[in-house]
Amino acid sequence: MPDRSSEKKIVVAIGGNPNSGKTTIFNELTGSRQKVGNWGGVTVEKIEGTVNYNGYHIVFVDLPGTYSLTAYSIEEIIARNFIVEERPDVVVDIIDSGNLERNLYLAVQMIELGGDFIFVLNMADMAKKQGLLIDADKLGSFLGGPVLFTVGNRGIGVKAILDGVIDVYEQRATKTRTIQVPYGNEIEEEISTIQAKVEADSTLVGAYPPRWLGVKLLENDSDVQGKIRRNSEVQEAIAEQVAVSRKHLRDIFDEEAENIIADQRYGFISGLLQESVSLGTRTKQDLSQKIDKVLTNRLLGIPLLVLFIWIMFQVTFNVGSFPMRWIDTGVGLLSGAVSFLLPDGIFKSLIVDGIIGGVGGVAIFLPNILLLFFMISIFEDTGYMARAAFVMDRVMHLIGLHGKSFISMIMGFGCNVPAIMATRTLENEKDRVLTILINPLMSCSARLPVYVLIAGTFFGKRAGNVIFSLYALGVVLAIIVGRLFRKTLFRGESEPFVMELPPYRIPTLKSVVIHMWERAVLFLRKMGTVILVGSVVIWFFSSFPVNRAYRTEFERKKAAVEERYEGSIDSLRRSASGDSEISAELTALIKERDEALLDLAGEKKQQDVYYSFIGRMGRSIEPFFRPLGFSWREGVALITGFVAKEVVVSTLGVLYAGGGEEDELGFAVRERSGLTPLTAFAFLVFVLIYTPCLATLAAVRQETGSWRWTLFSVGYQITLAWLMAFAVVKVGALVT
Ligand code: GDP
Ligand code: MG
């Protein structure tokens, strides 16, 4: 390291593609004060030149020209090792502006090495000829360093590089933000896993940027692999993890990790160019660009996005309704069979009402949830998700966020937990926390069962529209709340970001199926754990304590009914033989008796629940929900719904369980809840807005690293949920 205080010596590396004009600029800067040698041990020429300028002694090192920073050639290894190992004070990247895309491919790889950069857009004359308009400030803010224009062979702008170098060295340059190329969820996950292992090794930490090592190892970079010498348990673990990660990615993408990573870099660059360079008229376009002309069109972009999301929900509900019916029938059969086999009593009640009722009631939504994730992964895998974010960029700016936050919002339709984790790609802390706070307003798939149940019961044919309106309400509220928070809690501008626009691809069936399978496993695990335990707990608290007095009364009533019919049924039976008229009368009478018994059983269940722990708790919190028109049962369901939204349905299932097994839940809710279509809608609005589940809370806690934000998120969501539900009831009452 140079001694900054006394001598003010600055070491500057000059890098860039071959023929970008490096030598021309190097000569222009250093004149004749050059020293030619070789890079340690190899025959690649190393040229150094010095300049004394404004009291600084600046040493320029001309790096070998390369197109990339892989380990394919000795030049590439020399260039990157110099940046990583010698740590020059400033790296000047000479870019041929007539060949921006290819030159930026090197630039983004240099940035990954870390350090302070200046980007020199050389051949500015060629760019002008091509009709390119380059926004230097914007490009600089994305790359994380100042951008200068030069025409090397005519010496234009070259001296400004010296001032630029000193500004960066003295930390006076605007920036200096380290950007990261985002590689997409799957790859990012593997990078962080490997990175964590790398960080456990003290010999590697400090020597190389851990993220860079992670990326390079995933890319199967032979030079970096050589640095992991496997001479310790930790290094052994790193090598093993790399193999596992690469295999996992190959399974998902059907392609080697290095290819996907390269694609992502180009995607990043394409987004970078889209945002900071206006293309002239005579530029050729590839297919992706042609599709983008339509999908990211200023006027068509948003309507098309809304259309695609609408199609997504149509597929989810319409296609999903078939397998849903099969599962429903299956659950019904199972419940009937078990009821038939088991003797009456506590155990039967636990199995039938608690477990089958609770878990089965949720299981039927598996197809919907899988289809939703199927659609979302198609959005992601085709590359459309990035365009959606690009299109929404301007809308997101209304709340002071970047389009990138929108990706986490769409993912929120699937599940808020991974969506909240996806905000890791946002580097700015304020943007991140804000995006995390509004994410739960995106209606996740766990809320779907509640919507389908309640909307299906109260709105019949219009249920689909009601559900769509809830999703839309969630988005609108996210925007309003986001704007409010931006104005109050998170003042300031969002940081510039690049929306990477990867080339369109046809998704592989394999990757889509893997995504769906991962979801299915999560959902099934949730059914086997949270929902199962939740159902049993709710069943317990709704079955105990037992009201002895009522039990006795019930037995008496039951006996009375049986007695009332016994005499006449017996006498009919005796005289029935052969006479069809009397047989019919007998059948009718038996049916009448059974119905009376069923009614009685239903009444008993209601009485039991009313008297139970849950009934008492429900009634004590009733005042909170009374203004919204919810009965104590809905109140209890909302409270248990904190655990997970599917549990709302399980709870309603237990609380409204009628006497007859075939008594449908929707029917029972409509008959006994006292909800009207208006208060039912208010209930759905409440479900939409209040805290989605404990797992989301845990994710908020983990990603914000703060209990205060976690509690704040619960607080604002409950308050908003109550106020919005209240508004629905009041406004609705005025209108009707
Ligand atoms: P290097 O391979 O990166 O060292 O590139 P050179 O410095 O050898 O330059 C390659 C060619 O580009 C030479 O013929 C230069 O004269 C020419 N050149 C350098 N800068 C510019 C520029 O700004 N505009 C134009 N039109 N040509 C340039
Ligand atoms: Mg040269």
Side-chain angles (χ1 to χ4, degrees), residues 89-165:
D89 298 301
V90 183
V91 178
V92 174
D93 179 22
I94 310 289
I95 289 170
D96 171 359
S97 359
N99 256 318
L100 266 181
E101 194 179 20
R102 192 170 61 176
N103 279 255
L104 286 174
Y105 189 70
L106 176 68
V108 295
Q109 290 183 74
M110 283 199 191
I111 295 167
E112 289 190 321
L113 297 175
D116 289 334
F117 290 89
I118 295 179
F119 301 92
V120 173
L121 295 184
N122 191 33
M123 314 242 179
D125 52 335
M126 304 300 283
K128 206 170 166 194
K129 253 189 217 155
Q130 289 177 22
L132 297 183
L133 290 174
I134 303 169
D135 185 337
D137 285 345
K138 223 169 185 187
L139 189 59
S141 68
F142 294 139
L143 293 174
V147 169
L148 308 173
F149 290 103
T150 58
V151 182
N153 58 345
R154 282 189 276 146
I156 299 174
V158 176
K159 286 284 180 258
I161 296 174
L162 294 176
D163 296 312
V165 163

Side-chain angles (χ1 to χ4, degrees), residues 3-12 33 50-60 89-90 162-163 165-172:
D3 182 354
R4 294 189 171 200
S5 57
S6 58
E7 212 190 334
K8 297 243 176 191
K9 176 178 156 191
I10 311 179
V11 177
V12 181
R33 293 171 304 278
T50 54
V51 184
N52 290 314
Y53 182 75
N54 281 357
Y56 293 89
H57 182 67
I58 309 178
V59 180
F60 286 96
D89 298 301
V90 183
L162 294 176
D163 296 312
V165 163
I166 292 168
D167 281 352
V168 168
Y169 177 79
E170 296 292 1
Q171 319 268 303
R172 284 195 301 254

Side-chain angles (χ1 to χ4, degrees), residues 69-70 80 109 212-221 224:
L69 289 180
T70 48
R80 72 182 196 190
Q109 290 183 74
W212 179 75
L213 285 180
V215 173
K216 285 291 146 193
L217 286 168
L218 265 190
E219 281 185 302
N220 212 19
D221 184 292
V224 169

Side-chain angles (χ1 to χ4, degrees), residues 12 279 306 427 447 516 595:
V12 181
L279 292 169
V306 172
E427 293 146 45
R447 278 167 262 193
M516 271 176 51
E595 266 167 19

Side-chain angles (χ1 to χ4, degrees), residues 318-499:
N318 294 337
V319 181
S321 64
F322 298 100
M324 191 170 165
R325 244 170 274 150
W326 305 331
I327 298 183
D328 197 17
T329 313
V331 170
L333 286 176
L334 179 67
S335 155
V338 174
S339 301
F340 179 76
L341 290 174
L342 293 176
D344 276 352
I346 287 288
F347 184 65
K348 173 172 169 177
S349 164
L350 167 67
I351 301 290
V352 175
D353 300 337
I355 295 177
I356 300 181
V359 178
V362 173
I364 62 171
F365 298 99
L366 181 63
N368 294 122
I369 289 171
L370 286 186
L371 280 164
L372 188 63
F373 280 103
F374 173 76
M375 296 300 287
I376 289 180
S377 75
I378 286 192
F379 277 8
E380 280 196 306
D381 294 357
T382 51
Y384 181 67
M385 193 72 108
R387 274 69 187 187
F390 188 82
V391 163
M392 285 302 288
D393 197 40
R394 247 167 308 147
V395 178
M396 296 302 287
H397 275 297
L398 284 179
I399 50 176
L401 282 177
H402 194 268
K404 198 170 245 175
S405 298
F406 190 69
I407 292 186
S408 106
M409 289 169 74
I410 294 189
M411 288 176 65
F413 285 147
C415 174
N416 299 118
V417 174
I420 286 172
M421 295 202 280
T423 59
R424 284 183 197 169
T425 52
L426 305 175
E427 293 146 45
N428 179 284
E429 187 67 20
K430 280 184 185 173
D431 291 2
R432 251 169 66 81
V433 177
L434 179 52
T435 308
I436 290 171
L437 286 179
I438 61 177
N439 194 280
L441 291 169
M442 307 313 291
S443 188
C444 68
S445 57
R447 278 167 262 193
L448 208 56
V450 190
Y451 300 164
V452 175
L453 172 67
I454 301 292
T457 301
F458 287 91
F459 297 98
K461 279 210 166 65
R462 286 174 300 140
N465 293 339
V466 168
I467 294 174
F468 188 72
S469 76
L470 287 165
Y471 280 89
L473 177 65
V475 176
V476 171
L477 282 176
I479 290 176
I480 295 173
V481 169
R483 195 173 162 80
L484 193 73
F485 285 174
R486 177 58 95 183
K487 284 257 154 81
T488 50
L489 301 169
F490 303 96
R491 292 223 195 105
E493 279 297 299
S494 60
E495 290 223 1
F497 273 117
V498 173
M499 293 310 318

Side-chain angles (χ1 to χ4, degrees), residues 538-547 605-619 632 655:
I538 292 160
W539 169 84
F540 178 83
F541 284 106
S542 66
S543 304
F544 298 95
V546 174
N547 186 345
K605 282 203 175 166
Q606 295 310 305
Q607 283 292 334
D608 284 349
V609 169
Y610 191 79
Y611 190 79
S612 71
F613 291 116
I614 262 192
R616 292 170 200 199
M617 178 185 80
R619 272 169 291 150
W632 63 269
L655 296 186

